[in-house]
Amino acid sequence: MHMRSRTLLAWSLWLVTFGCLAGGLAVTLAVTRPLTADVLLQGAGDAIPWLLFATIGLVLTLRRPTNPIGWLYAAAGLVWTLNVPWDPWVDQLLRTGRPLPLAARLAALAGDSLWAVGLALAVTLPLLLLPNGRLRSRRWRIVVVASVAGTAMNVVGWCLSPDPMTQTLRPVAKPFALDGWAGSAATVVHWVGWVMTFASIPAAAVCLVLRFRASRGIERQQLRWVAAGATAAVVGPLLLIPLEAFGLLPTVDAFSWPLLLSVPVAIAVAVLRYRLWDLDRLISRTVTYAVVTGLLVLPYLVIVLATTQLIEGSGSLAVAAATLAAAAAFSPLRRRVQDLVDRRFNRRRYDAARTVDAFAVRLREQVDLDALHAELLGVVDQTMQPTQASLWLRPAADPGPR
């Protein structure tokens, strides 16, 4: 495929995905009654992750068109949004108790079954192909076959089984449901496919772990970004769930955004090889500000609550005093925590900073130009580790005859 055709296809996938999301908004405005701000906010919260997912796929396909991971993400974003324009209509019909026409039942069935296709496109296959878009070896083809075949069996078996749809507001009969032994066979096919679909995911994860253990150099740094994204996908929701419980998140289920987007963003950085070597610094900054925030917020809350209880009517003064105390403590506390975290998570930067500081102290006392030349080159080699280094000193200007 020519580059122009690839670019056209990449933008087409993104535009169709965006069109589905825009169509969902238009249908919501047209049919949803009562139309409240909460309904629109919930719809936006559901649409933003899929749009970002499709955008990640677009960037990867444009920058690395030969790597199939970008195409997989773009296709997953499209598959997950195909039913979005129809969902508000189907939901409104169910709320009002009206019967569903065939088009509405087909749309509901798409939303009830296509999640498995998106799961294979966005999770299983990218894990097998990271980071260069090729399998680790031919033996891993069996996992690809199991994922694709399991997904097909899962979707087809579910569409034909007699069980009602489960992703709608209330159970709805399927348009292609089979009865008798044929329906029982379809149910068995669905469950076998379901097992194969979800068994392929840990197998793909094992492939990624084995690839990481054998990796070196740039490939290892790429896979470290993926590991960091997976960690954020687990830790992020755990930190955000309490905020949602107190109503502090902008939309319902916003805690799931890190779960959905952390790994794709990390994979995009890894595939594009963009700022790969900043990972240690990113981790150290994240840990630093998390620790500092915890150390400042908890005493702040204690001071506010205690002072408010002890001095009735002085709540505003207590809040102001606690805020000023936290602000005064932030800078020195941040520097100390940063130093501790760098020692643990970013040792290379910590050692380089100490080497430069020590050289700056010796520089004030050094008067021998040859010794300074050798020491400066030694510091550059120790901290920057260049392939070669040289120092050129401009000769002193001739003052001329007097």
Side-chain angles (χ1 to χ4, degrees):
M1 186 183 296
H2 296 292
M3 182 61 68
R4 185 175 180 180
S5 300
R6 290 174 176 172
T7 302
L8 180 61
L9 178 59
W11 276 106
S12 299
L13 291 172
W14 187 88
L15 288 173
V16 174
T17 302
F18 180 81
C20 289
L21 297 175
L25 174 60
V27 174
T28 298
L29 296 175
V31 305
T32 302
R33 297 294 182 272
L35 184 62
T36 62
D38 291 339
V39 172
L40 296 177
L41 193 62
Q42 179 65 43
D46 293 339
I48 287 174
W50 306 135
L51 182 60
L52 293 178
F53 207 98
T55 303
I56 292 171
L58 174 65
V59 172
L60 289 178
T61 52
L62 294 178
R63 298 292 300 274
R64 294 289 187 272
T66 58
N67 193 316
I69 295 176
W71 298 104
L72 291 171
Y73 278 162
L78 176 59
V79 166
W80 276 329
T81 56
L82 283 176
N83 63 301
V84 170
W86 308 93
D87 278 348
W89 176 47
V90 175
D91 291 345
Q92 189 65 19
L93 290 176
L94 293 175
R95 288 193 191 96
T96 56
R98 288 179 287 175
L100 297 184
L102 179 60
R105 294 168 66 192
L106 291 175
L109 183 60
D112 209 57
S113 56
L114 289 182
W115 62 267
V117 179
L119 191 65
L121 293 173
V123 179
T124 309
L125 297 180
L127 290 179
L128 290 168
L129 297 174
L130 280 169
N132 54 14
R134 295 189 295 270
L135 292 174
R136 186 167 182 266
S137 64
R138 291 185 177 182
R139 71 183 65 180
W140 293 99
R141 291 180 181 178
I142 187 173
V143 182
V144 176
V145 173
S147 176
V148 174
T151 301
M153 294 170 62
N154 189 357
V155 172
V156 174
W158 178 249
C159 292
L160 299 179
S161 69
D163 299 324
M165 289 180 270
T166 59
Q167 301 300 315
T168 50
L169 294 179
R170 58 179 175 82
V172 176
K174 298 171 187 170
F176 307 118
L178 300 177
D179 297 325
W181 65 268
S184 300
T187 302
V188 172
V189 169
H190 158 66
W191 283 111
V192 171
W194 190 92
V195 171
M196 293 173 61
T197 298
F198 283 95
S200 301
I201 297 177
V206 169
C207 175
L208 186 62
V209 171
L210 295 177
R211 194 191 289 263
F212 178 80
R213 293 181 60 184
S215 63
R216 297 292 183 273
I218 291 179
E219 184 181 57
R220 189 173 188 85
Q221 195 67 14
Q222 289 175 292
L223 296 178
R224 287 186 66 202
W225 270 97
V226 178
T231 303
V234 175
V235 175
L238 295 179
L239 297 177
L240 294 179
I241 286 175
L243 297 180
E244 181 175 355
F246 289 103
L248 299 179
L249 293 183
T251 63
V252 178
D253 295 336
F255 71 89
S256 63
W257 291 3
L259 178 64
L260 295 172
L261 298 175
S262 295
V263 174
V265 170
I267 288 177
V269 174
V271 172
L272 297 174
R273 299 185 181 183
Y274 177 74
R275 302 180 71 90
L276 285 179
W277 307 102
D278 285 351
L279 179 60
D280 292 336
R281 194 168 189 176
L282 176 63
I283 294 176
S284 68
R285 289 295 187 271
T286 302
V287 174
T288 297
Y289 285 105
V291 172
V292 171
T293 301
L295 291 176
L296 293 181
V297 169
L298 293 179
Y300 170 81
L301 294 177
V302 171
I303 291 172
V304 171
L305 294 175
T307 309
T308 304
Q309 292 292 330
L310 293 176
I311 306 176
E312 199 68 36
S314 300
S316 300
L317 181 62
V319 172
T323 303
L324 292 176
F330 179 79
S331 294
L333 181 61
R334 188 199 65 79
R335 285 194 295 269
R336 291 192 179 187
V337 174
Q338 179 70 64
D339 187 61
L340 292 174
V341 172
D342 280 342
R343 248 185 273 178
R344 175 63 182 86
F345 294 98
N346 198 2
R347 187 73 192 189
R348 179 181 296 178
R349 177 183 178 275
Y350 174 76
D351 292 340
R354 295 196 62 181
T355 301
V356 173
D357 291 341
F359 173 72
V361 173
R362 295 194 302 271
L363 185 62
R364 301 190 189 101
E365 305 171 354
Q366 186 61 263
V367 295
D368 186 1
L369 190 60
D370 293 333
L372 178 63
H373 176 277
E375 190 166 356
L376 179 58
L377 290 179
V379 169
V380 171
D381 181 71
Q382 184 176 355
T383 56
M384 305 298 294
Q385 298 181 356
T387 56
Q388 60 180 3
S390 59
L391 176 64
W392 178 78
L393 298 177
R394 186 176 64 182
D398 187 2
R402 295 184 179 180

